[in-house]
Amino acid sequence: MEKHNIIVRLATAGDKHYAETITTEMEESAKARGTGIAKRSPAYIEKKMEEGKAVIAVNPDGTWVGFCYIEAWEHGKYVANSGLIVAPAFRKTGVATDIKKRIFQLSREMYPTSKIFGLTTGLAVMKINSDLGYEPVTYSELTSDEEFWKGCKSCVNYEILMSKGRKNCMCTAMLFDPAEAEEKVKAAEAARAAKAEEEKKAVSTTVSSEGELVHHRHRHFQGNLTLFDRWVRFKQFVLLKAKRKDDDNGDTPDKKRSLLSIFFW
């Protein structure tokens, strides 16, 4: 099915009637994958809607399409975009990407300094996260809040998680660090500014005899000067080759120069 007129928006208390449908689909999807997200009750989903910490996707006719919500840990130091789910009939339409982008934007607005993380086994979600600026990390870089890890108890792979000392499991951990993201933006801006300045220096302006402005671009040689010198000699050798033939009709050895001597004299 193609994505037509699907509305992705902030969920409100008026969307509570979707809560049971959402939790049922979450549970069924987890069973089908053989892995899963923490099981949530309709009441929990309703609370997220009331708090303005959820994004919902619906058709104009009111058909439920998808959902995702925000959880905060360690007093907002860490934020998770959890429970991403799309109704089966609307999968592979691109709506999951739209939901993830909107919930990520909402997280940045509500928790601008928080690290945003996620645990997932889905390659599609990993791709979306990567496009948003997430990077794969070890579990040790995620929240240490016990309440978060308790949420994994409903996952079929919980025993694997605990057997690994909560350091690894079937899910891939991904993290968006706003501080690191800001540094990357600053570095990119500095690089662009430096390039613009170089280009500006490489152009000079003069006035022609007709009174028109003429822009001159100066090319900067940044290579090896010795190699450049040898190239100039080679160029001279080629251009003057014909003249040398005329001058050397007598075949005088001391007047001839080999190509090797041009490069290494």
Side-chain angles (χ1 to χ4, degrees):
M1 177 182 291
E2 296 183 0
K3 181 177 62 175
H4 290 299
N5 302 319
I6 294 176
I7 302 167
V8 179
R9 58 171 174 77
L10 182 69
T12 67
D15 296 310
K16 287 183 179 181
H17 59 283
Y18 294 113
E20 189 168 350
T21 300
I22 291 170
T23 53
T24 299
E25 190 53 53
M26 284 179 176
E27 187 173 358
E28 292 300 318
S29 180
K31 289 179 181 178
R33 293 196 312 270
T35 184
I37 53 182
K39 186 176 180 180
R40 297 303 187 192
S41 67
Y44 185 86
I45 298 302
E46 290 174 5
K47 183 180 179 181
K48 289 298 178 182
M49 292 175 174
E50 291 174 346
E51 293 174 341
K53 296 181 180 179
V55 167
I56 194 167
V58 295
N59 262 337
D61 63 4
T63 304
W64 172 74
V65 175
F67 183 77
C68 193
Y69 61 89
I70 296 173
E71 291 181 305
W73 311 97
E74 295 184 41
H75 304 290
K77 181 180 178 180
Y78 291 89
V79 169
N81 295 162
S82 301
L84 176 64
I85 191 69
V86 174
F90 297 93
R91 290 172 187 170
K92 298 184 179 180
T93 64
V95 68
T97 300
D98 293 342
I99 295 172
K100 281 288 290 183
K101 287 180 177 178
R102 185 65 186 88
I103 198 71
F104 180 78
Q105 178 186 2
L106 182 61
S107 299
R108 297 286 289 126
E109 291 170 358
M110 297 185 73
Y111 302 92
T113 61
S114 300
K115 295 180 180 180
I116 306 174
F117 72 96
L119 286 171
T120 181
T121 57
L123 290 176
V125 175
M126 292 180 201
K127 173 63 168 59
I128 296 171
N129 285 348
S130 180
D131 291 343
L132 290 172
Y134 288 70
E135 294 183 355
V137 295
T138 61
Y139 281 30
S140 62
E141 293 187 55
L142 306 183
T143 179
S144 59
D145 195 314
E146 291 297 328
E147 288 302 311
F148 169 77
W149 296 103
K150 284 180 182 179
C152 292
K153 286 184 177 180
S154 60
C155 178
V156 295
N157 295 315
Y158 183 68
E159 290 185 6
I160 297 176
L161 175 68
M162 298 310 293
S163 69
K164 298 293 183 179
R166 223 164 63 183
K167 296 179 180 179
N168 199 3
C169 195
M170 302 299 289
C171 286
T172 296
M174 301 189 76
L175 180 77
F176 172 85
D177 187 333
E180 289 185 2
E182 185 177 356
E183 287 300 318
K184 289 180 180 179
V185 170
K186 289 181 179 179
E189 290 177 347
R192 285 194 295 269
K195 183 178 179 180
E197 186 63 25
E198 283 297 317
E199 292 178 348
K200 183 179 179 181
K201 290 179 180 178
V203 177
S204 62
T205 303
T206 59
V207 180
S208 69
S209 58
E210 291 80 14
E212 297 179 348
L213 292 177
V214 180
H215 299 286
H216 305 277
R217 179 172 292 278
H218 305 285
R219 299 183 181 276
H220 298 284
F221 179 74
Q222 297 178 347
N224 185 294
L225 291 177
T226 302
L227 183 62
F228 180 68
D229 181 55
R230 290 177 182 173
W231 163 250
V232 171
R233 292 176 185 177
F234 174 73
K235 181 179 178 181
Q236 292 171 344
F237 171 80
V238 173
L239 295 176
L240 298 176
K241 186 176 181 180
K243 185 176 184 302
R244 288 199 187 97
K245 285 184 178 180
D246 293 338
D247 294 342
D248 295 340
N249 285 333
D251 228 18
T252 306
D254 60 344
K255 288 186 178 181
K256 288 188 175 182
R257 298 183 184 276
S258 67
L259 180 62
L260 187 63
S261 69
I262 291 296
F263 273 84
F264 296 99
W265 65 7

